[in-house]
Amino acid sequence: MISAQNHPQRLNGNKLLIVFLSIFCLLSQIKEACSQNTSYTKDTLHLAVLMPFCSKEILADELSPKSALGNACRSYFEGLTIGLDSMSKNGIHIITHVFDTKNDTLYFKQLLKKNEVLNANLIIGPVVAVGQQIMKKFSDEAHIYHVSPLLTLTKSKIEDPYLICMNPDLESYADIYLKQCYQSGQTDINLVVFSGKGKNDKIIANRLNKIKSEYPSFSIQCLDIDKNIHYKNYYQLNKTNLVWIDSENEFQVNSTLKILADTTQFIDIQVIGTKKWLDYNANNYPLWKKLDVTLLSPYFLETTGKLTTQFIELFKEIYNREPDEYAVAGYDQAILLIDALAKNNGKFRVDQNKKNEALVGSEYLIGSKPHNKGYQNNYLNQCKFNEEFMWINAAKTTK
């Protein structure tokens, strides 16, 4: 059951009978995929969703400054709803209370006093960093785990032992990637990091300098991107050469890629970048493939899977559009989190939170944050082109 307060309504599609049959068919298959060797509690689970849907503002003005945030939350909730429906069909009793925080700090504080929130088994939200900072005091008193569903924390240091970030903190990218490299058997690595001039472009380099002693077989150097022409002084022919371009500036990134692509000086270089590169105006994808460009991202959708295809078709039937990454995250997190709660009598056990095979998008590996209190997803997708120019997640081979 869903109890909603000021949240966006579903879009109504045509062919309601077809939609109902599609939902029933998909949820039956999801139930079969999720229920193997699973024993769930019969107690009712209470879920509180506190997200800035900003419904009134968006209805009044589609170009409102709050539109991007509100629409992302709406899309997440649509995917979440499908996931919750599938879990309820699996015999789990769920009552969901949904609140629009309006991206208003004072209003959000009042919502935290509601019984539906104070008695929840798990809270999904808030979304923005200031909301997570407010939750710290709430956590000290209520001791309820709460999920940051969409946000990637950058410079915010939130020491909250009840916070679960579904997207890894930006600072953790260094820890996660080096660990994935080490676990894949790469021990003789020459890593050079070029940091840009953006407000967040030093975070990765600073973290790598702190943890590089943990990987004595790795050679790690951090330089300003303005010195990219001097890369030849750091390239080592007998090593696995990785270049991490920690910049969001399109000109700086493309200029560095051209230098690295000079085969008269370098061969077999692997380049690491960020998902934001996909938003650039002009990307030379053959050059990306030549340099084995890998984009680290908490999001990846494997569209060839049967269950994923069915989810996309179902979402389109219900909401009249393709699901975006927020909708996929909502669905996957509903499956993962409700499954974890139901297996442990309504209590969230981080140490027993395992990936469910019925997820349609990214994978999750929930564990302690490596640099401060709280928990997060310690898994990053390594998105790249394979030999057939297909977009793949190379991290699947490093687990």
Side-chain angles (χ1 to χ4, degrees), residues 322-337:
E322 295 274 351
D324 57 19
E325 64 182 270
Y326 307 114
V328 173
Y331 173 82
D332 281 347
Q333 290 176 28
I335 300 297
L336 182 79
L337 297 169

Side-chain angles (χ1 to χ4, degrees), residues 246-258:
D246 187 22
S247 173
E248 297 177 0
N249 182 281
E250 183 172 0
F251 176 78
Q252 290 179 332
V253 170
N254 287 334
S255 297
T256 305
L257 290 177
K258 289 179 181 178

Side-chain angles (χ1 to χ4, degrees), residues 150-161:
L150 304 175
L151 176 71
T152 297
L153 290 173
T154 52
K155 295 182 179 179
S156 301
K157 288 286 189 181
I158 302 174
E159 298 288 347
D160 186 344

Side-chain angles (χ1 to χ4, degrees), residues 195-205 246-248 252:
S195 296
K197 302 297 183 182
K199 62 180 180 179
N200 297 323
D201 288 353
K202 295 291 185 183
I203 294 177
I204 299 296
D246 187 22
S247 173
E248 297 177 0
Q252 290 179 332

Side-chain angles (χ1 to χ4, degrees), residues 94-142:
I94 311 166
I95 296 179
T96 308
H97 305 279
V98 186
F99 300 93
D100 185 351
T101 66
K102 306 178 183 179
N103 203 26
D104 183 317
T105 300
L106 294 178
Y107 184 67
F108 174 64
K109 290 180 178 179
Q110 293 302 313
L111 291 178
L112 293 179
K113 299 177 182 179
K114 289 186 170 291
N115 288 331
E116 295 92 335
V117 178
L118 292 169
N119 295 322
N121 297 98
L122 184 70
I123 299 169
I124 294 183
V127 173
V128 297
V130 65
Q132 297 298 345
Q133 291 165 346
I134 293 172
M135 287 295 288
K136 174 62 172 66
K137 181 179 179 181
F138 175 87
S139 297
D140 290 340
E141 299 174 356

